[in-house]
């Protein structure tokens, strides 16, 4: 494999790993094998630590493809707890309010979900990587500061109820770049006349790449450590592509 000219790696991100942890692992192994201190490695689409699934990592010249890779449609499977909210809209923070759920039925859920199909307006979570005055929103939110984010227009291509119980639902969502499933959980909870927060999230597809096509962390480590590395002829261009 020619990591300097550019490779695209498909990895199943584990629970509690940050996207940066995955990039750092790939970069660290390649730097040791190449005998260098800096090397270009990037990723196409952040996954929260509490999410798992498809993560696309690029190396060398392939980092220039990140914008086009990020633009691909994504598919998620999400579990939403009903009747309670958290400030982060997931399990990162404690429950801050509870709501009735006795009125929520499968029929109500099935009638509500289609309202989120098509073009929608979504306000990103305060606990997100969106920037406010040059600072990440999550860094401000974690300090207890007020964060005001503007709604964004997004496309939800498909939304399907997979599992239902009075306490939680599991849905499959196919959506555009920039969709926050945590925010969707919040909005679905509100639309049901209750509250909701995300308790599990798995990105099952990015474009044509499915989670079944991805390497586990152990298998990508083995691949990076053992696969023969092709070295391009040394030019000024190749030197620049090694630098981070």
């Amino acid at each position: 494999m020619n990591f300097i000219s550019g490779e695209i790696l498909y990895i199943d991100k584990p629970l509690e790993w940050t996207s940066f942890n995955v990039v750092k692992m790939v970069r660290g192994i390649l730097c040791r094998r190449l005998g260098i201190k800096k090397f270009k490695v990037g990723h196409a689409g952040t996954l929260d630590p509490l999410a798992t699934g498809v993560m696309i990592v690029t190396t060398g010249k392939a980092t220039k493809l990140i914008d086009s890779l990020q633009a691909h449609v994504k598919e998620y499977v999400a579990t939403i707890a009903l009747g309670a909210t958290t400030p982060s809209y997931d399990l990162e923070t404690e429950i801050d309010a509870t709501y009735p759920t006795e009125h929520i039925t499968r029929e109500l859920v099935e009638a509500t979900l289609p309202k989120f199909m098509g073009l929608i307006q979504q306000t990103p979570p305060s606990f997100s990587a969106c920037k406010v005055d040059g600072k990440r929103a999550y860094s401000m939110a974690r300090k207890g500061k007020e964060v005001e984010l503007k709604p964004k227009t997004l496309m939800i291509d498909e939304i399907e109820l997979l599992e239902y119980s009075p306490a939680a639902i599991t849905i499959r969502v196919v959506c555009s770049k920039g969709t926050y499933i945590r925010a969707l959980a919040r909005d679905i909870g509100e639309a049901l006349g209750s509250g909701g927060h995300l308790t599990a999230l798995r990105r099952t597809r990015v474009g044509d790449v499915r989670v079944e096509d991805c390497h586990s962390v152990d298998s990508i480590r083995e691949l990076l450590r053992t696969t023969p590395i092709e070295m391009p002829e040394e030019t000024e261009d190749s030197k620049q592509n090694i630098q981070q």
Side-chain angles (χ1 to χ4, degrees), residues 79-91:
T79 300
I80 302 170
L82 302 174
T85 56
T86 71
S88 59
Y89 313 147
D90 64 5
L91 295 175

Side-chain angles (χ1 to χ4, degrees), residues 1-236:
M1 299 180 80
N2 196 324
F3 295 104
I4 296 172
S5 291
E7 297 288 349
I8 301 175
L9 307 171
Y10 305 117
I11 301 172
D12 183 355
K13 188 190 84 65
L15 189 67
E16 296 185 350
W17 280 50
T18 66
S19 297
F20 178 72
N21 289 151
V22 178
V23 169
K24 184 179 178 182
M25 175 196 67
V26 172
R27 182 188 292 124
I29 294 172
L30 292 178
C31 281
R32 288 191 291 273
R33 289 203 64 191
L34 293 166
I36 55 179
K37 292 184 178 180
K38 292 184 178 181
F39 185 63
K40 278 187 177 180
V41 179
H43 68 83
T46 300
L47 273 178
D48 292 332
L50 298 178
T52 65
V54 181
M55 186 171 164
I56 300 177
V57 175
T58 60
T59 75
K61 289 183 179 180
T63 56
K64 296 176 182 178
L65 302 174
I66 284 176
D67 286 346
S68 61
L69 293 170
Q70 282 181 331
H72 289 165
V73 166
K74 298 171 178 66
E75 179 185 74
Y76 296 90
V77 172
T79 300
I80 302 170
L82 302 174
T85 56
T86 71
S88 59
Y89 313 147
D90 64 5
L91 295 175
E92 182 182 339
T93 52
E94 298 293 325
I95 290 172
D96 61 358
T98 57
Y99 302 86
T101 59
E102 294 81 3
H103 63 286
I104 299 176
T105 63
R106 174 183 285 272
E107 290 72 26
L108 178 61
V109 173
E110 290 178 338
T112 300
L113 292 182
K115 297 176 182 178
F116 293 91
M117 289 272 290
L119 287 174
I120 65 167
Q121 291 289 308
Q122 183 186 81
T123 302
S126 298
F127 288 76
S128 69
C130 294
K131 286 191 174 182
V132 179
D133 297 328
K135 297 179 181 179
R136 297 293 184 186
Y138 63 73
S139 66
M140 299 169 66
R142 286 169 183 159
K143 293 176 183 177
K145 295 181 178 179
E146 200 73 31
V147 180
E148 187 174 340
L149 295 169
K150 295 179 180 180
K152 295 182 178 180
T153 301
L154 306 166
M155 172 62 77
I156 305 292
D157 295 298
E158 299 177 39
I159 188 164
E160 175 188 6
L161 180 64
L162 299 180
E163 296 179 18
Y164 164 81
S165 77
I169 58 173
T170 298
I171 60 174
R172 183 182 67 87
V173 181
V174 178
C175 57
S176 65
K177 168 189 173 183
T179 304
Y180 282 92
I181 306 301
R182 287 181 287 141
L184 188 63
R186 168 203 64 199
D187 295 341
I188 289 172
E190 288 181 2
L192 290 171
S194 183
H197 64 281
L198 198 65
T199 57
L201 181 65
R202 186 155 177 77
R203 187 154 69 193
T204 51
R205 180 168 62 88
V206 176
D208 294 329
V209 179
R210 297 188 173 275
V211 71
E212 294 85 2
D213 306 321
C214 295
H215 289 278
S216 67
V217 164
D218 288 341
S219 68
I220 199 67
R221 279 193 181 119
E222 183 68 15
L223 175 73
L224 294 172
R225 288 170 176 165
T226 61
T227 189
I229 295 181
E230 299 175 35
M231 298 296 292
E233 292 184 17
E234 191 170 8
T235 63
E236 279 304 312

